[in-house]
Amino acid sequence: MPLIRTEIADSIGTLFLDHYAKRNALSRELVEDVHAAVDQFRKERVRAVVLRSATNEKVWSAGHDVDELPKAGIDPLPYGDPLERLLRAIKTYPAPVIAMLHGSVWGGACELVIACDIVMADETVTFAITPAKLGVPYNAAGFLNFISRLPLTVVKEMFFTADPMPAERALRVGIINHLVPAAELEARTYAMARTIAKRSPSAISAYKEAIRVLSEAVAINPDTYEYLHGLRREVYFGPDYREGIAAFREKREPDFGR
Ligand code: YXS
């Protein structure tokens, strides 16, 4: 069974996540299918992309497929990870990508949403940034995705608590562009996509790339990079990552000691 579906109409490409049995978890296979669809949209010069779930259920995506996270001692979020590659493909896609959200968004799916250009959501949406529940050391590119878009206080609270943030607050802090009633979400999202598709594609592509480059313009020297990487290694070689993954698999609360 395919894990996604795609459609192109009026120069707008739609990508439906379609694996609700696993709550649209971002497995390697699903993510690679999404990436291939994005590449195809690029070839077909699609002028706006809508990323949505195929179902109107209570979960939009459960985040990384936890069953595929590596055991302790291996970097769980390396540069070549399929989701990391997909995030880069979305950020460098030469036209706007609109996330259309109904339901809860977890872990890596929050970063997928934040990598999109515009977020349309209804009142059922929540966002939980979960690595501290699993002992996962987040990577520098991931932090930058959040801190270049949201206030530091919000990013810290979300990373430190891992608690879901409701839609109303997500609108206030700038995760969501438009919060609309569920019955209007699709119409409002495609109206936005149609407006974008009428504007100059070459100008929009140049704006998107300029905004990406400028928002990522953080210079760090190699020593600093190694320092950050060393901080992460201590976590994925340490006991918390082992305990976090084990607890998830055993469907219990992790015990990180006191
Ligand atoms: O038991 P079966 O085979 O039916 O499978 C169940 C779940 O195991 C599966 N599933 C997942 N499988 C792999 N990875 C996942 N992230 C995942 N989430 C769910 O889907 C089937 C249905 O799940 P179930 O029964 O729990 O559904 P529910 O409707 O009662 O609850 C929905 C959720 C989303 C509240 C619940 O599934 C859940 O809490 N999922 C995990 C959410 C989460 O913590 N995601 C973070 C993943 S880790 C990640 O993204 C990064 C590594 S990080 O944290 O660093 O950002």
Side-chain angles (χ1 to χ4, degrees):
M1 285 288 283
L3 305 180
I4 67 161
R5 284 194 290 118
T6 61
E7 262 172 33
I8 300 179
D10 305 327
S11 300
I12 298 165
T14 301
L15 229 156
F16 298 87
L17 306 179
D18 198 7
H19 194 203
Y20 198 73
K22 290 286 177 192
R23 302 304 182 259
N24 292 334
L26 302 171
S27 63
R28 171 178 291 271
E29 195 184 347
L30 182 143
V31 167
E32 283 175 353
D33 287 352
V34 174
H35 199 156
V38 170
D39 286 347
Q40 187 59 30
F41 286 166
R42 184 191 272 256
K43 283 194 195 110
E44 301 200 22
R45 298 178 179 278
V46 160
R47 291 190 181 186
V49 175
V50 175
L51 176 60
R52 59 187 287 186
S53 171
T55 48
N56 233 17
E57 300 276 1
K58 64 176 186 160
V59 181
W60 188 79
S61 169
H64 256 276
D65 186 323
V66 176
D67 298 325
E68 292 182 357
L69 288 175
K71 56 185 190 310
I74 298 174
D75 186 346
L77 302 175
Y79 186 75
D81 177 78
L83 181 58
E84 299 294 319
R85 290 193 285 116
L86 175 62
L87 296 172
R88 294 195 290 275
I90 288 176
K91 289 193 296 176
T92 55
Y93 185 81
V97 178
I98 304 174
M100 176 181 144
L101 306 180
H102 172 93
S104 54
V105 184
W106 300 84
C110 290
E111 198 178 336
L112 178 60
V113 167
I114 218 86
C116 294
D117 302 292
I118 290 169
V119 180
M120 304 291 290
D122 68 26
E123 64 280 356
T124 65
V125 167
T126 60
F127 297 92
I129 302 182
T130 51
K133 272 168 82 176
L134 291 154
V136 168
Y138 225 68
N139 56 28
F143 284 126
L144 191 57
N145 279 334
F146 287 101
I147 65 181
S148 63
R149 175 132 172 203
L150 302 175
L152 280 186
T153 47
V154 171
V155 175
K156 288 183 180 181
E157 179 186 334
M158 293 184 83
F159 270 94
F160 297 166
T161 67
D163 284 338
M165 178 185 284
E168 194 54 59
R169 181 153 180 240
L171 176 72
R172 281 202 306 278
V173 302
I175 300 175
I176 292 172
N177 289 75
H178 293 280
L179 178 57
V180 299
E184 292 171 26
L185 178 63
E186 186 172 62
R188 293 279 300 272
T189 303
Y190 284 89
M192 166 89 75
R194 279 194 299 274
T195 300
I196 290 168
K198 280 194 298 201
R199 307 294 184 229
S200 158
S202 60
I204 289 179
S205 167
Y207 303 155
K208 175 167 168 173
E209 183 62 356
I211 292 167
R212 181 188 70 79
V213 170
L214 292 169
S215 67
E216 292 177 358
V218 177
I220 58 169
N221 64 34
D223 270 357
T224 310
Y225 176 77
E226 293 303 338
Y227 168 63
L228 294 182
H229 195 58
L231 291 175
R232 299 186 60 237
R233 280 168 58 85
E234 278 182 34
V235 182
Y236 64 77
F237 273 102
D240 286 4
Y241 179 61
R242 197 175 300 116
E243 166 61 8
I245 299 297
F248 186 90
R249 293 202 172 125
E250 292 158 22
K251 297 187 189 292
R252 62 173 172 81
E253 278 293 306
D255 178 2
F256 295 127
R258 282 180 198 280

